Amino acid sequence: MNSPQKLPAIRALFVLLYLFAALPQDKADAASIKPLSMAPPNVGQAFQQVMADFNLYQQFLQVQETPGGQVLLNARNPDEASIFLSRGFCDDLADAICASFTWYDRERGRLMLIPCDGLPTIGPAQKNDVLYYMEGQDLLTFQYRFENCYQPGDAYLYSVRTRLQDGWWKVEALELLKLNQ
């Protein structure tokens, strides 16, 4: 899902994600927020890794259709799901994604996808409109403005906070804020 066309189903997840790993109370001032197109190479590389993290999330959602529901192909149980997702997401967020979008079918011994809208993602199509700000050597936030999500003319700011862990930028927190127009 590259745009949040049906965001109401995921509002509760964002509240949950915010509780797990809230963005700092001190938002970056306007002078420190810069366009990704003007970023130094290390920030560009971080964005490439974040796009890979969202691609990992899309891979996680791959399913096999069965009469009993959609069976995830890349994780048989919540522990495997957490390990799979933790390659691109911090542990708390990986667990929250698994808990929000899957359920474990004990009879089958398989992890099932809960039919619902997923997380909005940012990727190559949004790259030219992404902003960023550094919060330290190992903390970086990307922002993208989604428009016309619930109704014509509305706008939401999607913040993707990332942390450098073992040489890879992992998604640590997600925040979706309605903008006043």
Side-chain angles (χ1 to χ4, degrees):
M1 173 172 149
N2 285 332
S3 65
Q5 296 302 317
K6 297 179 182 176
L7 287 177
I10 62 170
R11 281 185 180 170
L13 175 64
F14 280 103
V15 171
L16 176 66
L17 297 179
Y18 188 78
L19 292 175
F20 271 111
L23 290 172
Q25 297 301 315
D26 299 329
K27 301 290 184 193
D29 62 59
S32 64
I33 299 173
K34 300 174 185 158
L36 184 60
S37 61
M38 300 174 66
N42 64 325
V43 173
Q45 179 183 12
F47 185 73
Q48 292 293 326
Q49 291 177 1
V50 168
M51 287 191 304
D53 297 341
F54 282 122
N55 285 335
L56 178 74
Y57 163 74
Q58 295 291 345
Q59 290 172 14
F60 173 71
L61 297 178
Q62 292 177 353
V63 296
Q64 176 184 1
E65 295 287 337
T66 68
Q70 299 175 324
V71 177
L72 266 74
L73 296 175
N74 292 306
R76 295 183 65 84
N77 57 53
D79 290 337
E80 286 183 14
S82 182
I83 291 168
F84 185 89
L85 287 168
S86 68
R87 296 184 347 226
F89 296 83
C90 292
D91 292 341
D92 287 344
L93 185 53
D95 291 342
I97 291 170
C98 180
S100 298
F101 295 114
T102 67
W103 66 278
Y104 184 66
D105 183 340
R106 293 191 189 284
E107 288 181 23
R108 291 177 157 183
R110 292 303 308 248
L111 198 58
M112 309 294 287
L113 183 66
I114 297 171
C116 65
D117 293 325
L119 296 174
T121 61
I122 53 176
Q126 292 78 32
K127 186 175 182 175
N128 291 336
D129 297 317
V130 170
L131 303 173
Y132 79 94
Y133 60 92
M134 297 290 298
E135 298 178 58
Q137 294 291 27
D138 66 341
L139 202 55
L140 176 61
T141 297
F142 295 101
Q143 294 182 331
Y144 180 77
R145 180 184 170 116
F146 284 108
E147 296 180 349
N148 304 311
C149 298
Y150 298 112
Q151 60 190 12
D154 70 0
Y156 290 81
L157 183 64
Y158 188 41
S159 293
V160 179
R161 183 176 178 191
T162 64
R163 182 173 297 278
L164 185 61
Q165 292 183 348
D166 300 322
W168 189 264
W169 289 92
K170 293 185 178 185
V171 178
E172 179 177 72
L174 303 168
E175 182 177 39
L176 189 66
L177 296 173
K178 183 172 177 48
L179 300 174
N180 295 326
Q181 300 264 334

